[in-house]
Amino acid sequence: MTAPGWVPIFLKEYIHFRRKLFKLGYIFSAMVAPVIYLIAFGLGLGSRVMMGGTDYLSFLIPGLVAMSSMHNSYTWVAGMVNLSRLYFKTFQIFVQAPVSSSAILVGEILAGMVKGLFASFLVILIGCIAAQGFAITMPFILALLMNCFLFSALGVVVGMLTRSHEETATYSNFLIMPMAFFCGTFFPLDRIPAFLKSIIYLLPLTHTNILIRKGAMDKEGWLSLLLLLFFGALFFLWGKRLIDGYDE
Amino acid sequence: MCTESVIVVENLIRSYRDVRAVDGVSLTVKRGEIFGLLGPNGAGKSTLIRMLTTLTRPHGGRAWIMGYDVVKEREKIRRIIATVPQEINLDRELTARENLEIYALLYRISNRREKITAILKRTGLLERQHSVVSEFSGGMQRRLLLARALLTSPEVLFLDEPSLGLDPQIRRQMWDLVRGEAANGRTVVITTHYIEEAEALCHRVGILNRGRLVALDTPSSLKVSVGNYVVECINHEGRLVQHFYHSREEAKYHAYEQPSNVTVRETNLEDVFVKLTGERIE
């Protein structure tokens, strides 16, 4: 029996990830940003704030899970695709192999999801210990998986579009960083100024943050899930188109 | 060597901005042939290879490999070819065996463990199979690239400057491997700017200059076409001047007429290139 086409692509990235995993610095770097936010906002500022009847830390942890999963999935895939395409030329092995562009995409996305889920797991672990009102619900799991998927797919798109490794930082600064701060990670969306709201609701992390905090699915939750599916499909098809059109 | 044409190229064109890297190249390569593309850096050799291996899309003309169109039937072509690229595109953080495992999975090779062991043994890398590639010397990395390409038992093997940076002994071992593959009926296209490599290995050679194919024939016929012997002397401006002759006697006779510092020797492919283009291969 032969393995599906995405297996070797995923396996290669997984070996890289596994090797890095056992280096202490890597685990530390995956944890450092959420831990800093947790201490600064959650334990410092948040100790005096209540959010709709729950403590701020219980509000913050799902947001940090969304942010970490976005950041780690996106950064890993965008960096890997960009470096392997432009500098190591290992991406060309996949492009030249008799596997479909969808298989390449799925392999890269799954690798990004593993990285995103690993980083999220560390934050969830802290949440389970430190936040009393924190709970893992079905919408939470759906939001987390969709978030890892769509930001890994976006990572492929950015990795394929950029013409230098430095350029990936530009996308991070203009796209990923604003999303991390304005899409409901640290404060509820109803406190965002009205003029910003229409833009904020067009960004995928907003809907991850809405869905991830739902105890059970309601109308708003279904709408956010639908939009996350839309963003996931959009980035997937865009990535597929870029791989199909690969030309040196 | 069989007379069946495995590669057919018709008026292939590729431009980068205003520069035509490949400018109307047409050629055919037969089954079991070792076909050399010779030319200086920037002549268009690698671009031509990239178009034939489906990495680069032509801007004009057409090409087929075993009847499959390089633009319309890319996936079919990818099943029957293998490439040794100019850049060492191995995963440096993976071991030699892991690199081959990933490649074997991509090409859905059956009995991959046995085949990987066999190819590692054949290329002299079996003892280092569990070492990460970043610990390999340049020569070992090039051998691993060749091992990877041979793993899929391709119908057509493309080698883009395969012996770049190899020491002479390893280079000759690689030539033996390539000859062995051609003897087994595989077609080999090799780009090089090493004259002795083209002469030692290739059944036919195409000379490329500035994207154009300026000559195509067997190495011996190419040399005959300009003259088998060359008389070299330095002129009063300090420049090397070459005169070509068809016999040694004729060459020696004319050598006596030259004032000083005269060399008479057999023509090589670089002389053919210089004669045809007025430039040197570097």
Side-chain angles (χ1 to χ4, degrees):
Chain A
M1 202 177 77
T2 53
W6 57 265
V7 169
I9 291 110
F10 173 75
L11 185 66
K12 174 181 167 280
E13 303 295 355
Y14 172 73
I15 296 170
H16 276 269
F17 178 62
R18 201 184 56 194
R19 296 248 157 92
K20 287 193 171 87
L21 197 61
F22 293 110
K23 291 173 184 166
L24 194 63
Y26 180 76
I27 298 175
F28 188 72
S29 76
M31 285 184 73
V32 71
V35 166
I36 286 172
Y37 291 132
L38 199 72
I39 294 167
F41 292 101
L43 304 177
L45 179 76
S47 57
R48 298 173 192 178
V49 180
M50 291 295 283
M51 288 280 171
T54 60
D55 60 303
Y56 182 67
L57 203 58
S58 298
F59 171 83
L60 181 65
I61 293 284
L64 286 180
V65 170
M67 190 189 76
S68 296
S69 61
M70 169 188 74
H71 198 262
N72 281 279
S73 298
Y74 166 82
T75 310
W76 175 273
V77 177
M80 272 294 187
V81 171
N82 179 271
L83 285 172
S84 65
R85 186 172 64 87
L86 294 174
Y87 298 99
F88 303 124
K89 304 280 182 185
T90 47
F91 191 74
Q92 282 79 335
I93 299 166
F94 299 153
V95 177
Q96 275 186 313
V99 292
S100 66
S101 52
S102 301
I104 298 172
L105 203 56
V106 168
E108 293 290 355
I109 289 172
L110 287 177
M113 287 179 77
V114 168
K115 174 77 197 305
L117 290 171
F118 170 75
S120 306
F121 172 74
L122 298 174
V123 182
I124 291 168
L125 206 66
I126 295 167
C128 289
I129 297 163
Q132 290 172 345
F134 173 70
I136 297 171
T137 60
M138 187 49 81
F140 181 99
I141 294 166
L142 282 173
L144 178 58
L145 289 174
M146 276 312 299
N147 204 47
C148 289
F149 176 85
L150 77 90
F151 281 105
S152 295
L154 181 64
V156 174
V157 171
V158 171
M160 292 297 291
L161 284 176
T162 44
R163 279 163 292 180
S164 69
H165 190 58
E166 292 73 31
E167 222 179 288
T168 55
T170 311
Y171 283 87
S172 290
N173 291 339
F174 284 98
L175 201 66
I176 300 298
M177 195 140 88
M179 268 199 277
F181 284 95
F182 294 121
C183 290
T185 303
F186 298 103
F187 49 88
L189 291 162
D190 54 18
R191 295 188 192 176
I192 289 170
F195 73 96
L196 264 179
K197 262 188 184 169
S198 52
I199 300 168
I200 294 301
Y201 276 92
L202 289 175
L203 298 171
L205 190 70
T206 305
H207 299 284
T208 306
N209 274 322
I210 291 170
L211 189 61
I212 207 165
R213 290 194 175 102
K214 294 278 177 200
M217 289 301 272
D218 57 8
K219 202 175 169 186
E220 191 190 29
W222 283 113
L223 182 66
S224 288
L225 180 62
L226 211 64
L227 284 163
L228 290 177
L229 285 166
F230 166 75
F231 281 116
L234 178 74
F235 296 147
F236 187 92
L237 292 173
W238 192 359
K240 179 173 159 47
R241 192 181 161 86
L242 289 168
I243 297 171
D244 279 333
Y246 185 85
D247 181 31
E248 282 195 357
Chain B
M1 202 195 321
C2 171
T3 52
E4 180 200 341
S5 289
V6 168
I7 301 172
V8 178
V9 177
E10 280 181 11
N11 199 28
L12 217 54
I13 294 168
R14 173 71 196 209
S15 304
Y16 291 98
R17 297 190 183 186
D18 298 332
V19 180
R20 278 212 169 167
V22 172
D23 190 3
V25 170
S26 299
L27 53 86
T28 57
V29 182
K30 296 181 189 77
R31 180 180 292 279
E33 187 174 21
I34 304 176
F35 184 87
L37 283 167
L38 189 65
N41 290 329
K45 307 184 297 288
S46 295
T47 307
L48 181 56
I49 291 271
R50 284 204 306 273
M51 282 194 279
L52 295 176
T53 57
T54 75
L55 263 186
T56 298
R57 286 162 197 255
H59 287 164
R62 294 184 76 181
W64 297 264
I65 294 176
M66 295 188 75
Y68 298 127
D69 189 296
V70 295
V71 177
K72 294 175 187 162
E73 295 168 292
R74 291 191 299 170
E75 202 161 321
K76 284 177 182 161
I77 288 179
R78 287 165 185 172
R79 289 180 197 285
I80 54 168
I81 65 165
T83 314
V84 173
Q86 204 173 122
E87 311 89 10
I88 295 176
N89 68 347
L90 297 162
D91 197 312
R92 291 169 54 82
E93 291 180 40
L94 266 54
T95 66
R97 183 170 271 277
E98 283 168 346
N99 267 281
L100 297 182
E101 285 272 0
I102 302 277
Y103 202 72
L105 280 167
L106 277 170
Y107 285 80
R108 297 174 185 204
I109 294 170
S110 54
N111 302 325
R112 66 175 190 275
R113 288 195 176 86
E114 294 80 6
K115 283 180 182 167
I116 289 169
T117 303
I119 201 72
L120 283 167
K121 199 172 178 181
R122 202 170 150 209
T123 48
L125 293 167
L126 191 61
E127 285 179 16
R128 298 294 302 275
Q129 61 175 319
H130 297 303
S131 300
V132 289
V133 171
S134 58
E135 292 170 3
F136 280 16
S137 67
M140 287 168 76
Q141 290 182 12
R142 288 235 161 253
R143 271 189 283 159
L144 185 57
L145 279 178
L146 188 61
R148 192 179 69 183
L150 296 178
L151 185 63
T152 61
S153 305
E155 294 286 343
V156 187
L157 184 60
F158 290 93
L159 308 170
D160 193 2
E161 304 280 0
S163 53
L164 207 67
L166 291 185
D167 59 51
Q169 192 192 348
I170 303 289
R171 190 180 299 171
R172 275 167 179 74
Q173 284 174 11
M174 192 209 68
W175 292 354
D176 289 339
L177 277 169
V178 173
R179 282 193 199 101
E181 292 302 312
N184 288 330
R186 300 202 202 299
T187 307
V188 182
V189 177
I190 181 168
T191 77
T192 183
H193 59 256
Y194 291 123
I195 302 299
E196 71 276 21
E197 186 162 77
E199 288 191 338
L201 211 53
C202 300
H203 298 123
R204 285 192 308 148
V205 172
I207 296 180
L208 276 171
N209 189 42
R210 297 183 186 187
R212 288 188 161 273
L213 192 67
V214 292
L216 196 165
D217 215 327
T218 61
S220 56
S221 297
L222 284 169
K223 287 186 271 187
V224 168
S225 70
V226 296
N228 279 326
Y229 294 92
V230 59
V231 175
E232 285 182 334
C233 61
I234 308 294
N235 71 7
H236 63 277
E237 290 171 342
R239 292 181 62 183
L240 183 74
V241 179
Q242 293 180 318
H243 299 281
F244 294 91
Y245 301 97
H246 288 287
S247 70
R248 182 178 284 276
E249 289 69 32
E250 202 183 350
K252 276 186 175 171
Y253 177 78
H254 283 89
Y256 290 127
E257 294 175 350
Q258 303 301 324
S260 60
N261 293 331
V262 179
T263 311
V264 178
R265 60 170 176 80
E266 288 185 8
T267 304
N268 62 34
L269 283 178
E270 182 162 18
D271 301 321
V272 177
F273 184 83
V274 173
K275 172 86 172 170
L276 292 171
T277 67
E279 294 175 32
R280 290 207 160 266
I281 297 172
E282 281 166 23

